[in-house]
Amino acid sequence: NRTSESQHLCGSEIPRVYCIVWEGKPMRKMFSVLHYEYKMQFKRLVTWGVLLVATALSLLDNFPSAGNLARLEFLNEPAYFVYRIVSLDSLVLLFGLMFLLAGRIPIDTKTGMKSLLMSSALRKWQYVLGKLLGGFLYVFSMQCIFLLLNTTIYFIAAPFEISLIECIAPLIKAIFVSLVPTSLFVSFCSIALPGMIDIRLFYILAAILFGFNATYVGSAEAMPFYLITSGDLVRLIWVHPRWPFVDMGSVIANGFFLVGSGLVFGSLLFLKHKFWRSE
């Protein structure tokens, strides 16, 4: 009896939002899981701690002070500022968000939440898709807040005149060419992989990947396609005037790596046997 089962489960310690996913249309159940994941992450103080630390480090590096303007030749160009924030400083934010997202499915398993959800009318695809999309929207939102916060401070503090359109244009470019693919890659990998392998192994692999990205030195030549934030995809935001050529093949390869890898890893949860009830 679905009604009595729902009442029984809602009487347990399942968060209230999970108690409503047993009734209603299939998509509504998925959106309930998505809403819970998204809302829960934003309530965590550590989320805002990661954002503040990343913003502080970014401003130390890019604030339009006399010292930074003398050190960075093109810092007086808003497009360069956005390019630099996205390609270098957003890596710190993404690294922190990756660790925050990694425990979502293991926690459900460890606390018994997953078993309770499996005993309900909730299907595997609703649970997995809600988790993945909730994580994606969370990472994307945090990156947007990070970029908007930095750009607003830059616009207000710059000791030279800047038009609003000069800031808006590179922001729109950054959202589509960088924030969307990197958010998909980080969120889907962070949620899916710890659901299939030991989370400690995932932490090690994530640290190696981000460490390599952080230490890789930029070049006027085509960048490796497997870079997260500093691949050739971000050159669509700003191009160095001395090296105006953009290798579109490398740009496409970087985009396919980020989007394709995220989708592949996310799909593995749907394909993994024994992840849900016997089907």
Side-chain angles (χ1 to χ4, degrees):
N1 186 302
R2 183 176 299 180
T3 303
S4 61
E5 184 178 286
S6 297
Q7 292 172 346
H8 172 70
L9 289 170
C10 290
S12 64
E13 295 182 356
I14 297 179
R16 179 179 176 273
V17 68
Y18 271 149
C19 295
I20 66 173
V21 303
W22 282 264
E23 307 298 338
K25 298 179 180 179
M27 290 303 293
R28 187 176 299 173
K29 298 177 183 179
M30 184 274 290
F31 279 114
S32 295
V33 178
L34 185 159
H35 177 263
Y36 170 73
E37 288 296 312
Y38 186 77
K39 183 177 180 181
M40 184 280 303
Q41 290 289 358
F42 269 90
K43 285 185 174 182
R44 299 175 68 181
L45 291 178
V46 67
T47 287
W48 301 103
V50 169
L51 176 65
L52 290 176
V53 170
T55 302
L57 293 175
S58 175
L59 290 175
L60 285 174
D61 187 37
N62 302 289
F63 186 79
S65 62
N68 282 338
L69 287 169
R71 179 174 62 89
L72 301 172
E73 181 181 0
F74 303 103
L75 190 58
N76 60 344
E77 299 180 22
Y80 172 76
F81 174 82
V82 172
Y83 162 84
R84 188 174 175 85
I85 290 290
V86 168
S87 61
L88 298 178
D89 303 290
S90 66
L91 189 66
V92 177
L93 176 66
L94 288 173
F95 184 65
L97 298 181
M98 177 172 275
F99 274 79
L100 293 181
L101 281 175
R104 297 309 306 139
I105 290 179
I107 286 176
D108 279 357
T109 303
K110 187 178 296 184
T111 60
M113 179 75 69
K114 183 179 169 185
S115 297
L116 290 173
L117 292 172
M118 288 171 61
S119 67
S120 74
L122 188 70
R123 298 181 180 179
K124 180 173 73 172
W125 72 266
Q126 296 164 340
Y127 172 78
V128 172
L129 198 57
K131 288 276 187 181
L132 292 175
L133 293 181
F136 166 75
L137 290 176
Y138 163 66
V139 175
F140 178 70
S141 298
M142 292 303 296
Q143 283 206 93
C144 286
I145 294 171
F146 173 72
L147 188 57
L148 287 171
L149 182 59
N150 277 276
T151 305
T152 300
I153 294 173
Y154 173 84
F155 180 78
I156 295 173
F160 43 82
E161 186 176 349
I162 306 174
S163 66
L164 190 59
I165 191 64
E166 286 182 289
C167 291
I168 293 177
L171 280 176
I172 294 175
K173 284 184 181 180
I175 288 173
F176 287 101
V177 306
S178 182
L179 269 59
V180 170
T182 56
S183 296
L184 191 147
F185 174 80
V186 168
S187 61
F188 278 33
C189 291
S190 302
I191 293 171
L193 289 180
M196 297 179 291
I197 63 175
D198 189 282
I199 193 169
R200 291 167 294 184
L201 175 60
F202 171 78
Y203 286 150
I204 294 172
L205 294 175
I208 293 173
L209 175 63
F210 275 85
F212 181 81
N213 275 259
T215 57
Y216 192 87
V217 179
S219 170
E221 305 296 326
M223 300 289 281
F225 69 89
Y226 47 81
L227 295 180
I228 300 174
T229 60
S230 55
D232 280 339
L233 198 60
V234 297
R235 291 187 179 180
L236 297 178
I237 301 173
W238 180 85
V239 180
H240 199 292
R242 298 195 190 103
W243 302 287
F245 174 71
V246 176
D247 187 338
M248 288 308 299
S250 183
V251 170
I252 294 171
N254 188 215
F256 267 111
F257 168 74
L258 293 173
V259 176
S261 298
L263 292 177
V264 167
F265 287 130
S267 299
L268 293 178
L269 282 178
F270 293 95
L271 301 175
K272 182 183 178 183
H273 296 296
K274 299 181 180 179
F275 178 77
W276 204 244
R277 63 171 69 88
S278 298
E279 297 179 345

